[in-house]
C-alpha cells in the first residue's frame, strides 16, 4: 500500500543567485513537478510564505528509499540546490487521507 512522504524543502544559500544566473532551472523544476503530478507521484507542492527557498512537496511512494530516489531526480537536487537540511519524512496523515490516497 502506498505511503505519503513530506519533503520538507530547504535550499542552499546560493539558491536565489543560482536562479538568476540559470533561469532554465525554474522551468525545469516546474516541468518536473508537472511530470511527477501526471504520474500520480507528486500530490501537491508549494513554497512557504514569504518565499525563502523553503516549502513542501507531498509524494506518494512505497518506501522512504523510493521517495528519496524520486526527490533525487528533481532539478533542484540535480543542480545541487537542495540543502542538506531538506528532509524526506513519512507522513502519517490522520484527517484528509482520502484527499490524497484513493484506496
Amino acid at each position: 500500500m502506498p505511503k505519503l512522504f513530506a519533503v520538507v524543502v530547504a535550499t542552499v544559500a546560493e539558491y536565489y543567485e543560482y536562479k538568476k544566473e540559470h533561469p532554465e532551472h525554474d522551468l525545469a523544476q516546474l516541468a518536473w513537478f508537472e511530470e511527477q503530478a501526471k504520474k500520480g507521484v507528486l500530490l501537491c507542492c508549494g513554497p512557504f510564505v514569504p518565499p525563502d527557498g523553503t516549502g513542501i512537496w507531498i509524494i506518494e511512494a512505497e518506501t522512504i528509499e523510493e521517495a528519496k530516489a524520486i526527490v533525487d531526480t528533481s532539478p533542484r537536487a540535480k543542480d545541487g540546490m537542495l540543502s542538506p537540511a531538506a528532509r524526506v519524512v513519512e507522513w502519517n496523515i490522520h484527517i484528509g487521507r482520502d484527499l490524497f490516497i484513493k484506496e
Side-chain angles (χ1 to χ4, degrees), residues 1 5-6 19 23 30 33 48 57 59-60 63 72 74 78 83-84 89 95 98 101 103:
M1 176 156 107
F5 295 88
K19 285 174 44 150
L30 181 58
F33 285 146
F48 295 143
W57 309 341
I59 291 177
E60 184 177 324
T63 65
D72 287 345
S74 76
K78 287 181 174 182
S83 166
V89 294
I95 297 173
D98 57 320
I101 303 273
E103 297 182 85

Side-chain angles (χ1 to χ4, degrees), residues 52-86:
D52 64 355
T54 61
I56 194 163
W57 309 341
I58 303 298
I59 291 177
E60 184 177 324
E62 295 292 328
T63 65
I64 195 164
E65 292 80 16
E66 180 184 341
K68 287 178 179 180
I70 292 165
V71 169
D72 287 345
T73 69
S74 76
R76 194 110 342 125
K78 287 181 174 182
D79 290 351
M81 293 295 105
L82 276 183
S83 166

Side-chain angles (χ1 to χ4, degrees), residues 13-65:
E14 305 83 32
Y15 173 65
Y16 284 103
E17 188 61 35
Y18 182 83
K19 285 174 44 150
K20 288 179 194 172
E21 295 171 7
H22 301 277
E24 71 281 0
H25 172 80
D26 276 348
L27 295 174
Q29 185 65 41
L30 181 58
W32 183 86
F33 285 146
E34 291 172 352
E35 176 187 339
Q36 298 309 309
K38 284 180 186 172
K39 289 180 183 177
V41 171
L42 180 68
L43 305 182
C44 65
C45 65
F48 295 143
V49 177
D52 64 355
T54 61
I56 194 163
W57 309 341
I58 303 298
I59 291 177
E60 184 177 324
E62 295 292 328
T63 65
I64 195 164
E65 292 80 16

